[in-house]
Amino acid sequence: MPKAKFVARFDIAAYYTSMRHDVIKAQVAATALDAHHRKLIADYLALPDLQDTGVGMVASGGLSPLLGALYLTPLDRRMDRLCKGKRLVHYVRYMDDLVLLARTRWQLRSAIAALHEEITPLGLRLHRVKRFIGRTTQGFDFLGYQIRAGARLRPSAEGLRRLRERARQLYEREGDWQRLRQYVLRWWRWHLGGLDGMVRRKGGVKRTWHHVCTHLAGKHPPG
């Protein structure tokens, strides 16, 4: 990030439900998979497609993450070429979430234009709300973290909102403070995620626990 002044972060809208079957089959055909496995993937796409639309797949299926990772490889290759050509500082993608880092506004705009050129033939579009374009000094959210140059990682606002919502649902369903504590502790361990030295630890899990309790409509744990 110190090398880049500008950043764009995007989500792909309706990622799994927008994937074209003909594109996936062509991508699979270009791999070393044998006929049996290609048929397996074709059936995986076709069986839930009762209307024979030729578009979309179940997001929760066992093969969906693999096919989802494969689907945007044309975009990955295009962005990698921009990085090697010094027209982009860095590009990173996790499934349908992606970040572009550039030195100038022009380079960022050029990369965004290339992004649209690659995803349009795939039948995809960017999410209208889940996006950020601006200076890296402002910081941005990615994969549940707030990322800012020179600062340790913090949970993103959306990540905290989801924590509060799931904690509220758990409490309303079970009313068990011990189970709720265990959930918050697991969330905190996930937040650390093995990123030693990169995550802000001020207040630790106690601060997160207090945050959750404060937002549970004034409820407080016994004792």
Side-chain angles (χ1 to χ4, degrees), residues 125-193:
R125 58 184 176 84
L126 299 178
H127 200 289
R128 293 183 178 181
V129 177
K130 297 179 180 179
R131 60 173 62 194
F132 173 79
I133 302 174
R135 289 184 173 272
T136 53
T137 52
Q138 295 177 259
F140 60 94
D141 294 345
F142 186 55
L143 302 182
Y145 295 97
Q146 182 187 82
I147 300 174
R148 190 184 300 273
R152 296 184 187 277
L153 299 175
R154 297 187 181 193
S156 67
E158 176 63 16
L160 287 175
R161 186 197 66 78
R162 291 182 180 180
L163 168 66
R164 295 193 301 267
E165 178 62 21
R166 290 170 182 168
R168 181 189 63 78
Q169 293 173 355
L170 179 62
Y171 180 81
E172 291 178 350
R173 186 172 66 247
E174 301 187 15
D176 187 332
W177 286 104
Q178 185 60 32
R179 287 288 304 277
L180 189 59
R181 285 181 186 272
Q182 292 174 356
Y183 169 71
V184 173
L185 180 59
R186 288 196 300 270
W187 183 92
W188 175 253
R189 288 171 177 167
W190 165 85
H191 176 62
L192 296 180

Side-chain angles (χ1 to χ4, degrees), residues 21 23 36 38 41 54 69-70 74 80-81 88 115 133 152 154 158 174 196 206 212 219:
H21 295 178
V23 172
H36 169 74
R38 292 199 300 271
I41 292 173
L70 175 68
D80 285 344
R81 290 197 298 270
L88 197 63
L115 166 64
I133 302 174
R152 296 184 187 277
R154 297 187 181 193
E158 176 63 16
E174 301 187 15
D196 295 336
K206 290 183 179 180
V212 169
K219 296 180 176 63

Side-chain angles (χ1 to χ4, degrees), residues 1-210:
M1 286 182 66
K3 297 180 181 179
K5 292 184 178 181
F6 298 94
V7 58
R9 191 202 68 79
F10 298 110
D11 283 12
I12 304 292
Y15 188 46
Y16 285 108
T17 57
S18 300
M19 292 180 179
R20 290 172 41 186
H21 295 178
D22 60 330
V23 172
I24 295 174
K25 291 175 183 177
Q27 291 175 334
V28 171
T31 69
L33 287 178
D34 57 30
H36 169 74
H37 289 98
R38 292 199 300 271
K39 172 90 167 41
L40 180 67
I41 292 173
D43 290 344
Y44 181 82
L45 296 173
L47 290 176
D49 189 12
L50 301 179
Q51 303 299 320
D52 195 25
T53 64
V55 177
M57 73 171 78
V58 289
S60 58
L63 290 178
S64 296
L66 294 173
L67 297 176
L70 175 68
Y71 198 71
L72 281 174
T73 49
L75 173 64
D76 297 339
R77 296 190 185 106
R78 178 76 174 272
M79 294 298 119
D80 285 344
R81 290 197 298 270
L82 291 180
C83 290
K84 291 177 181 177
K86 306 299 182 183
R87 296 175 61 189
L88 197 63
V89 172
H90 193 62
Y91 160 78
V92 61
R93 176 175 73 88
Y94 181 79
M95 300 304 287
D96 58 334
D97 298 331
L98 54 98
V99 172
L100 309 173
L101 290 165
R103 294 178 179 84
T104 68
R105 285 191 181 93
W106 180 87
Q107 289 175 331
L108 187 62
R109 289 172 183 168
S110 177
I112 293 173
L115 166 64
H116 282 286
E117 289 177 4
E118 293 298 332
I119 68 172
T120 299
L122 299 176
L124 303 176
R125 58 184 176 84
L126 299 178
H127 200 289
R128 293 183 178 181
V129 177
K130 297 179 180 179
R131 60 173 62 194
F132 173 79
I133 302 174
R135 289 184 173 272
T136 53
T137 52
Q138 295 177 259
F140 60 94
D141 294 345
F142 186 55
L143 302 182
Y145 295 97
Q146 182 187 82
I147 300 174
R148 190 184 300 273
R152 296 184 187 277
L153 299 175
R154 297 187 181 193
S156 67
E158 176 63 16
L160 287 175
R161 186 197 66 78
R162 291 182 180 180
L163 168 66
R164 295 193 301 267
E165 178 62 21
R166 290 170 182 168
R168 181 189 63 78
Q169 293 173 355
L170 179 62
Y171 180 81
E172 291 178 350
R173 186 172 66 247
E174 301 187 15
D176 187 332
W177 286 104
Q178 185 60 32
R179 287 288 304 277
L180 189 59
R181 285 181 186 272
Q182 292 174 356
Y183 169 71
V184 173
L185 180 59
R186 288 196 300 270
W187 183 92
W188 175 253
R189 288 171 177 167
W190 165 85
H191 176 62
L192 296 180
L195 303 172
D196 295 336
M198 297 178 64
V199 178
R200 187 173 185 264
R201 292 172 172 262
K202 185 176 180 180
V205 68
K206 290 183 179 180
R207 182 172 182 170
T208 305
W209 173 243
H210 177 74

